[in-house]
């Protein structure tokens, strides 16, 4: 790319957040390039991806606006109710889409399905795809120096990409975040999220279930083929043990942990476990570089909100870029980005600490927290309208 001809936007990382950001920018009429080291695997209905997301309504609205939801929805599963309760007893929180005049509370979709549909849309939208390639450095008149009108990124094939705005969406271990000199506040939970598909005796009834155990929450999410996708939060050593046991032992232990709520667990797929951490970048912006998604923040998955918070970064960014373009202003002007960064960081910090607090309160069998959480769930269930308010907040509507 010649120096006098920069892209409007370069997005680094084509996970769901990076791809949605790139597509949003392209739909705004901007010239966009994406750098991604791994070619996304094509999605097939019969080769399911263990990474499954509960998508909130505002994220779905974004994907719909970007014209990709239509290609995702036929393979996704709506969930119409949600039940949350504590193994130690007390009240139960219950959410029903019908009560809020909705058809669904949200949708369950595989990560690979979202990535595949977004990748195809990027190709159709004429976005320049530099894949497989990675960013290895920030060059020349980069973050704060030079004439300040663009950032130059060095790629691993020795080429350079210049852009007025660079989006770092390269995940929780973001290299670009480090290159931009942005520090990170990080806490390892010492827990893993064990994921798998399971077949249960009883139907999932389009319901997302979450039981809090002293070792961590256990979620059963309804999947499109009648099975459930589980996310079982466990201490590291316990997760390692449950990855290693045979299927029959695993199913028996899972049935017990879930109190046989859907009857016996009769079959399990492959299993995988992801380390859980809370992370928050000290700032989301450095000059013309902004962090989005897990590069900026990672939250405990107990509320299924990590990707949803990332998609909210995209929604806010799109609004800001649109406003700047309507005024004919520079889309990467550092003062404008800094305002976006402050707002997004403050919302992400609230999410990270809220889920952190819930995890602490529920992942213990100490008497006082046990009493308190039973009361809290009961209160949430009894106060009229409270469930609706909680759901609206989680759904971003
Ligand atoms: C067990 C578990 C369950 C979860 N369940 C949910 C849920 O139900 N709902 C929900 O909303 N969230 C959930 N999350 C959170 C969710 O997984 C993440 O928030 C989300 O995947 C982050 O997306 P991302 O696009 O920001 O990052 P990633 O998905 O990590 O994508 C980063 C991309 O950047 C690329 N990349 C890496 N390095 C470079 C480089 N140097 N140059 C260029 N590209 C690079 C990678 O190849 C990748 O494509 C869960 C998380 C866990 C651990």
């Amino acid at each position: 790319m010649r120096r006098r001809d920069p892209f409007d936007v370069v997005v680094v990382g084509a996970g769901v957040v990076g791809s949605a950001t790139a597509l949003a920018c392209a739909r705004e009429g901007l010239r966009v390039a994406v750098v991604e080291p791994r070619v996304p695997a094509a999605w097939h209905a019969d080769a399911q991806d263990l990474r499954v997301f509960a998508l909130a309504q505002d994220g779905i609205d974004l994907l719909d606006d970007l014209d990709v939801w239509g290609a995702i929805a036929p393979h996704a599963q709506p969930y119409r109710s949600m039940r949350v309760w504590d193994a130690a007893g007390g009240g139960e929180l219950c959410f029903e889409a019908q009560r809020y005049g909705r058809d669904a509370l949200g949708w369950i979709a595989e990560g690979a399905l979202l990535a595949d549909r977004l990748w195809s849309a990027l190709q159709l939208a004429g976005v320049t795809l530099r894949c497989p390639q990675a960013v290895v450095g920030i060059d020349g008149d980069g973050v704060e120096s030079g004439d300040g009108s663009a950032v130059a990124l060095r790629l691993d094939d020795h080429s350079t990409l210049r852009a007025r705005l660079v989006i770092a969406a390269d995940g929780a271990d973001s290299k670009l975040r480090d290159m931009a000199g942005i520090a990170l506040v990080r806490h390892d939970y010492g827990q893993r999220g064990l994921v798998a598909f399971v077949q249960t005796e009883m139907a999932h009834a389009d319901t997302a279930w979450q039981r809090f155990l002293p070792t961590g929450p256990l979620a059963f999410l309804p999947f499109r083929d009648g099975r459930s996708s589980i996310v079982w939060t466990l201490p590291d050593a316990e997760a390692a043990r449950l990855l290693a046991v045979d299927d029959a032992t695993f199913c028996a232990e899972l049935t017990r942990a879930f109190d046989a709520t859907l009857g016996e667990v009769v079959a399990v797929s492959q299993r995988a476990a992801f380390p859980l951490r809370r992370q928050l970048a000290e700032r989301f912006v450095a000059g013309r570089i902004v962090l989005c998604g897990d590069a900026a923040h990672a939250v405990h998955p107990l509320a299924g909100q990590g990707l949803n918070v990332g998609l909210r970064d995209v929604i806010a960014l799109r609004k800001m870029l649109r406003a700047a373009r309507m005024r004919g202003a520079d889309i990467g002007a550092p003062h404008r980005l800094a305002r976006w960064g402050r707002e997004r960081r403050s919302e992400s910090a609230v999410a990270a600490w809220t889920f952190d607090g819930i995890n602490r309160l529920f992942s213990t069998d100490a008497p006082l927290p046990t009493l308190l959480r039973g009361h809290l769930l009961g209160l949430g269930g009894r106060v009229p309208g409270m469930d609706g308010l909680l759901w609206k907040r989680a759904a971003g509507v």
Side-chain angles (χ1 to χ4, degrees):
M1 184 52 50
R2 288 167 300 153
R3 280 181 61 81
R4 62 180 178 281
D5 188 23
F7 280 95
D8 292 317
V9 181
V10 170
V11 178
V12 181
V16 176
V17 172
S19 299
T21 309
L23 193 57
C25 292
R27 297 274 194 254
E28 292 300 315
L30 295 166
R31 280 189 62 230
V32 184
V34 170
V35 184
E36 163 63 47
R38 288 178 301 167
V39 182
W43 175 83
H44 299 290
D46 47 0
Q48 288 115 12
D49 179 13
L50 288 176
R51 292 292 297 261
V52 167
F53 300 122
L55 286 171
Q57 190 57 49
D58 57 351
I60 292 166
D61 292 344
L62 171 70
L63 296 173
D64 200 22
D65 251 22
L66 299 178
D67 278 340
V68 281
W69 180 244
I72 295 168
H75 310 289
Q77 163 74 41
Y79 62 100
R80 305 183 202 282
S81 2
M82 180 153 70
R83 292 180 190 272
V84 182
W85 73 105
D86 186 22
E92 182 193 54
L93 257 182
C94 180
F95 304 87
E96 298 285 350
Q98 221 183 7
R99 260 209 316 264
Y100 320 133
R102 301 260 168 176
D103 191 40
L105 294 175
W107 290 68
I108 309 290
E110 294 150 88
L113 168 66
L114 300 174
D116 175 90
R117 295 307 192 249
L118 281 161
W119 190 253
S120 303
L122 289 176
Q123 286 169 316
L124 288 174
V127 169
T128 300
L129 300 174
R130 302 289 295 263
C131 177
Q133 272 184 354
V135 174
V136 293
I138 302 172
D139 224 14
D141 56 9
V143 186
E144 319 272 10
S145 57
D147 67 4
S149 64
V151 182
L153 299 175
R154 259 181 293 123
L155 305 195
D156 53 1
D157 67 348
H158 308 292
S159 64
T160 300
L161 272 184
R162 284 167 44 84
R164 292 198 284 149
L165 172 62
V166 169
I167 318 272
D170 49 346
D173 296 318
S174 170
K175 297 261 188 337
L176 209 65
R177 183 184 61 219
D178 298 343
M179 290 174 202
I182 300 179
L184 189 71
V185 181
R186 173 175 166 162
H187 169 73
D188 283 304
Y189 284 110
Q191 293 173 317
R192 277 167 199 264
L194 190 155
V195 295
F197 291 107
V198 298
Q199 184 70 55
T200 50
E201 259 183 329
M202 286 150 62
H204 55 52
D206 297 349
T207 301
W209 315 79
Q210 179 139 280
R211 182 173 199 233
F212 281 99
L213 295 148
T215 42
L218 167 60
F220 274 56
L221 305 175
F223 195 60
R224 60 184 155 81
D225 63 2
R227 293 184 296 168
S228 296
S229 157
I230 61 152
V231 184
W232 193 355
T233 299
L234 292 156
D236 285 334
E238 189 59 1
R241 185 184 71 77
L242 282 164
L243 281 178
V245 296
D246 60 48
D247 285 2
T249 310
F250 183 85
C251 289
E253 293 210 27
L254 181 59
T255 301
R256 210 163 30 249
F258 198 46
D259 201 22
T261 303
L262 293 176
E264 297 277 326
V265 175
V266 292
V268 61
S269 68
Q270 267 189 312
R271 296 156 239 166
F274 299 93
L276 304 184
R277 16 171 153 141
R278 165 173 44 77
Q279 280 189 182
L280 196 62
E282 278 190 343
R283 51 202 168 109
F284 283 12
V285 177
R288 288 174 177 270
I289 300 179
V290 308
L291 309 183
C292 272
D294 275 22
H297 44 71
V299 301
H300 197 288
L302 62 87
Q305 286 288 318
L307 178 62
N308 291 309
V309 179
L311 290 175
R312 280 170 202 149
D313 296 341
V314 186
I315 293 168
L317 195 67
R318 183 166 79 140
K319 199 166 146 197
M320 183 196 69
L321 293 180
R322 189 172 284 175
R325 298 246 310 153
M326 278 169 69
R327 284 202 300 274
D330 176 5
I331 55 164
H335 70 279
R336 190 168 291 113
L337 300 180
R339 196 164 54 237
W340 169 89
R342 277 194 303 275
E343 286 172 14
R344 288 310 305 149
R345 190 177 185 280
S346 123
E347 193 182 317
S348 311
V350 170
W353 285 106
T354 304
F355 305 141
D356 189 271
I358 295 173
N359 185 50
R360 278 170 206 270
L361 179 64
F362 281 85
S363 297
T364 171
D365 49 11
L368 199 60
T370 306
L371 199 68
L372 182 62
R373 66 200 188 212
H375 278 307
L376 280 178
L377 284 177
L379 195 68
R382 278 195 311 273
V383 175
M386 177 69 96
D387 58 322
L389 285 176
L390 288 172
W391 173 72
K392 275 190 180 160
R393 175 108 186 101
V397 296

